[in-house]
Amino acid sequence: MRKTGGKLLNPCMFIYTLFFIVLSGFSIYGQSYTYAVVISSQAYSETGWKTLADSLLKKHSKRGLSRIFTWSSSVTELKDDLSEFKPDYIGFIARPVAECNSSFIVAVSQMTRELDSDPYGDAIWGIITGYNSSDAMRAISDSLTVKTVLSASGNLPYEPPIQRFYEAIGLACDSYTKADYIFANNIGKVYSENKRPDNEQDRIKFISKWLGSDSLNLEISGQGTIHGPIDCIITGGHGNVNMWQCHYPEAGTEGYMQSSGGKIYGRPYSGSLIEINAKTPKIFWCLSNCLMGNPDNKDNFVYGAFGSGRAVQMFGFVNNASSGNEFMAWGVYDRITKRAGKYTLPQGFFLSNNNALFEIENGNSQINTRLVKQFMDSTVFYGDPAADVNFYDFGDSAKAFKTDIVCTENSQNVAEFTLTYTMKAHDLEYGTGYCYQFRPVELLPVRIDPTTVEITHNEGYHAEITDNLVIWEMLSGGEKLRKGESRKLGWSAEVKDNKTDIGKAGYRTQKKIRKPALFAVSGKNGVVVQINDFPSGNFNVKIVDLTGKKCFSDKFVSKGGAKQSFSTKFTIGSGVYMVVLDQENLKLSSVISHCCLK
């Protein structure tokens, strides 16, 4: 795409500049971002939906720029306005059926790739809906850290060191008895037995009970326990617009789950209908089912999930799922769960969608891209795309692979970027699995001008670098990336970050804060730490080595201001360490410097 060559950053430069990228990446996709609230003018004239839009605006105004956009006849009327605003996230509020329907999903999906000149996605998006506005209001108000997962029609793979879930239950789709369990603190190890809870062969009976319970407290004698509510249910088997069949290929002697009137029900093979009223927020992840994401009737599963199912987020297929869904089914699933805690469900959906487009544009017969294309606009994420909803994070040692983007910016607003990809869990070979789940696709920590991109180093092949994304064909052909090995991609580009443009009416933002800087040096009497442009507050201080072992911890009270310094009065040996400040009053922890201490 562009010339290759150049040089890598030296180790000391890498260590020094990690501070900037951790902070800037957190700034855009964590604490500060641009959010567009999109709603029809008719919906905005109705009290409940207007209150929802205003609440969403207020929620995200606390974290950056936020603005409401209204449309009259078609949501695509807003393309130019959204293009100018350059949102990181778009929440499309849509009333059920009248606005939230299959055509609307296709229009939204396509428009969010058309906000600039490149063909790739320009904003992480979600459709916010419900059987009524109060369901949608509840969904945007909930937060969730996913710990307990129910794979209701699927096994749990045993693949340490990868840990997908904190704890989980898996029920084989084609069995009446098999059950898998992952217990907390068990390094992803799976325990299986040929017996379901309560010896019940119709899973609908206990799944319905679990979804309505505020805590499972399930104990498997001699093996472990699973506590707390179901945070995420992953469906399987067969799906329809208002019905889910757990058993596959035929229902056999198991029942169904149904939806009607904004509620979901268990309909067992024998016995009474079981009404489900969830007490805690949940993700409904309809991983590869046909039609369960279809919103074209108010009795459909979408509205039941956000009604009595208390969904906070949902992913599903609008049409029939079939072959060719590798990217939008298994790609989303693997990219999120094989690096648990790295990306949220809407972010994983966004990345996988763009990876699918890259495959269509650049594929080399590994996958039938004709079938891939039909799912790009017929899968959908429901919910607030910037919600505080995350999967439990075990740290880098439990992830399939690790990516770091290091960035340095000079006074002319030009930045140098280095993407490092390290394989953690096993050797990586080029093939179908690599294409949909392992190819590097990453969000950039700042927006850049893609016309200024110059590739400076490339240990792989073709790279697409847009204003907010990098997609890199790291492998191509027969080579292999061994476990523990890394590859790097480097480029330079002009930074075009609109986050400080707060002069226009309707924009909401926090007060602009100068980026703090931290420097540390080790001497005979300890480690001296200097911090510039740092906020006031109470902080925990710790120093850790490269293995994560804590070498020192203390307290620090910052008075704020341009320059402060303190000494840890702790002497360490030569090597590379990390200084961490944890701000107690914000209940946040962020690595803000990575210093070479000698």
Side-chain angles (χ1 to χ4, degrees), residues 27-250:
S27 141
I28 290 179
Y29 295 106
Q31 190 174 10
S32 180
Y33 47 74
T34 303
Y35 193 105
V37 180
V38 173
I39 186 172
S40 73
S41 54
Q42 187 172 347
Y44 198 60
S45 70
E46 298 180 14
T47 301
W49 295 99
K50 181 183 187 302
T51 300
L52 172 67
D54 291 343
S55 298
L56 196 62
L57 176 72
K58 182 178 179 181
K59 172 184 176 181
H60 293 294
S61 293
K62 296 176 181 178
R63 294 189 173 184
L65 305 177
S66 185
R67 184 180 174 187
I68 292 178
F69 296 81
T70 60
W71 55 272
S72 298
S73 301
S74 170
V75 69
T76 57
E77 297 167 12
L78 297 175
K79 186 170 74 170
D80 291 343
D81 290 340
L82 291 172
S83 178
E84 182 181 358
F85 186 59
K86 293 181 174 59
D88 295 310
Y89 295 92
I90 307 176
F92 292 95
I93 296 174
R95 295 174 298 172
V97 184
E99 294 161 353
C100 183
N101 51 54
S102 299
S103 297
F104 183 80
I105 290 170
V106 172
V108 161
S109 180
Q110 294 177 350
M111 184 178 69
T112 55
R113 295 194 300 269
E114 297 172 349
L115 302 183
D116 59 26
S117 59
D118 67 68
Y120 293 94
D122 302 307
I124 301 165
W125 60 275
I127 293 178
I128 299 167
T129 190
Y131 190 79
N132 50 48
S133 60
S134 61
D135 287 343
M137 177 66 80
R138 191 269 315 146
I140 71 161
S141 303
D142 277 334
S143 61
L144 177 64
T145 298
V146 175
K147 298 181 75 173
T148 306
V149 174
L150 171 61
S151 180
S153 295
N155 298 315
L156 299 176
Y158 178 51
E159 49 189 349
I162 299 170
Q163 295 183 63
R164 294 180 186 255
F165 311 119
Y166 179 82
E167 58 185 15
I169 306 164
L171 304 169
C173 64
D174 57 353
S175 172
Y176 295 105
T177 55
K178 188 175 185 295
D180 295 336
Y181 301 93
I182 293 176
F183 302 108
N185 305 315
N186 213 9
I187 319 179
K189 183 178 178 180
V190 177
Y191 169 74
S192 300
E193 62 180 14
N194 199 31
K195 182 180 67 173
R196 287 183 179 168
D198 301 325
N199 282 315
E200 177 57 65
Q201 293 192 11
D202 188 349
R203 77 190 82 191
I204 285 296
K205 292 184 178 179
F206 57 84
I207 287 177
S208 301
K209 180 178 69 174
W210 287 351
L211 289 176
S213 174
D214 57 7
S215 184
L216 297 188
N217 296 320
L218 181 67
E219 181 175 358
I220 306 300
S221 180
Q223 297 298 325
T225 59
I226 293 180
H227 296 290
I230 297 295
D231 298 318
C232 173
I233 179 170
I234 300 172
T235 65
H238 277 307
N240 208 324
V241 294
N242 64 348
M243 186 176 293
W244 168 44
Q245 174 191 309
C246 303
H247 201 90
Y248 183 89
E250 304 296 336

Side-chain angles (χ1 to χ4, degrees), residues 19 23 511-517 532-535 561-562:
F19 155 64
L23 184 62
K511 182 180 178 181
K512 183 181 176 183
I513 300 174
R514 294 178 64 185
K515 295 184 177 73
N532 299 335
D533 300 314
F534 210 72

Side-chain angles (χ1 to χ4, degrees), residues 429-439 472-475:
E429 297 183 24
Y430 182 82
T432 300
Y434 160 81
C435 291
Y436 72 76
Q437 64 174 304
F438 288 112
R439 177 186 288 133
W472 181 31
E473 190 67 282
M474 182 183 65
L475 301 182

